[in-house]
Amino acid sequence: MQVNVGVRIMLIYLQMIETPEEKSKFEQIYLEYKGLMFHVAFDILHNESDAEDAVHQAFVKVAENIRKIGDPVCPKTQSYIVTIAEHKAIDQYRKNQKHQVVELLDDIQGTETHYEGDNSLTKYILMLPARYREMILLRYHHGYSVREIASMMDISLAAAIKLDQRAKNKLKKLCEEAGIL
């Protein structure tokens, strides 16, 4: 017989609590409010995974403060639980804003850049992944600084410097393989 995932998660939280009375109280809170807490967190975060993380953090906080809770199913407890869930969701939102994760797929990201020319260097520039091609053309054809390109691409200066370096290395490698360098 397989144990329900929610029950297993609740058992983990219960390990943090000492007395049987507090464990019973936490179990009632968990069963009563887990859906509401998820709804509150999801309403703030608009992401299921992040909302689940926020609810987890909220339940850890509830387990740590279980002694402060009187009746597990009452308006005062509900308000307390919702407030904790909101605060944890807001913390998660701020964390996400501070550390936005952007996956860099050099073959996909970047805009299509058109370049007119008919020499062999042009041929190899056009063979570069879109992001590299964009960097090379903005930097060396249009004359923008790396700082300006970072602003245009909405990336950090360090990321723009690295992108410039990688684009040049890739272009150099393509040219060497073709025997034009």
Side-chain angles (χ1 to χ4, degrees):
M1 180 189 331
Q2 198 173 22
V3 178
N4 184 340
V5 174
V7 172
R8 280 189 276 164
I9 292 170
M10 184 175 58
L11 292 173
I12 293 168
Y13 296 129
L14 289 173
Q15 296 298 314
M16 299 174 61
I17 301 170
E18 296 172 13
T19 69
E21 297 82 27
E22 290 173 345
K23 288 182 182 197
S24 175
K25 188 187 311 182
F26 182 86
E27 186 177 353
Q28 285 181 295
I29 290 169
Y30 181 85
L31 295 172
E32 182 71 23
Y33 299 115
K34 67 181 179 184
L36 176 62
M37 292 169 74
F38 179 81
H39 176 74
V40 166
F42 187 81
D43 197 41
I44 292 169
L45 295 164
H46 305 291
N47 178 295
E48 195 171 308
S49 178
D50 289 341
E52 288 172 358
D53 290 347
V55 170
H56 167 71
Q57 292 301 319
F59 273 121
V60 169
K61 185 79 168 172
V62 169
E64 290 170 350
N65 295 295
I66 195 71
R67 291 188 176 124
K68 296 178 182 177
I69 299 173
D71 184 11
V73 182
C74 73
K76 183 177 179 183
T77 301
Q78 181 178 347
S79 177
Y80 178 67
I81 299 297
V82 166
T83 300
I84 291 173
E86 284 176 341
H87 288 173
K88 293 302 177 182
I90 290 168
D91 290 347
Q92 182 72 32
Y93 179 82
R94 287 181 181 145
K95 180 179 155 191
N96 292 350
Q97 294 303 307
K98 191 182 279 187
H99 300 103
Q100 284 188 339
V101 177
V102 177
E103 189 177 349
L104 291 178
L105 300 172
D106 293 323
D107 293 334
I108 298 171
Q109 292 188 353
T111 59
E112 285 298 318
T113 309
H114 300 286
Y115 178 71
E116 300 297 323
D118 58 355
N119 59 39
S120 42
L121 182 59
T122 303
K123 175 181 167 186
Y124 295 106
I125 289 172
L126 294 174
M127 290 173 64
L128 291 171
R131 230 168 138 73
Y132 289 176
R133 184 174 56 246
E134 185 177 16
M135 173 56 84
I136 294 289
L137 293 177
L138 288 172
R139 178 104 167 95
Y140 302 101
H141 180 69
H142 296 289
Y144 290 105
S145 71
V146 175
R147 187 176 305 277
E148 291 170 320
I149 295 169
S151 177
M152 283 183 229
M153 293 178 138
D154 196 28
I155 58 176
S156 69
L157 178 59
I161 291 169
K162 193 66 175 172
L163 182 62
D164 182 43
Q165 202 174 43
R166 288 179 179 162
K168 288 188 292 188
N169 288 340
K170 180 75 171 178
L171 181 59
K172 180 180 176 189
K173 183 179 174 192
L174 286 172
C175 290
E176 284 173 348
E177 288 172 357
I180 64 168
L181 270 187

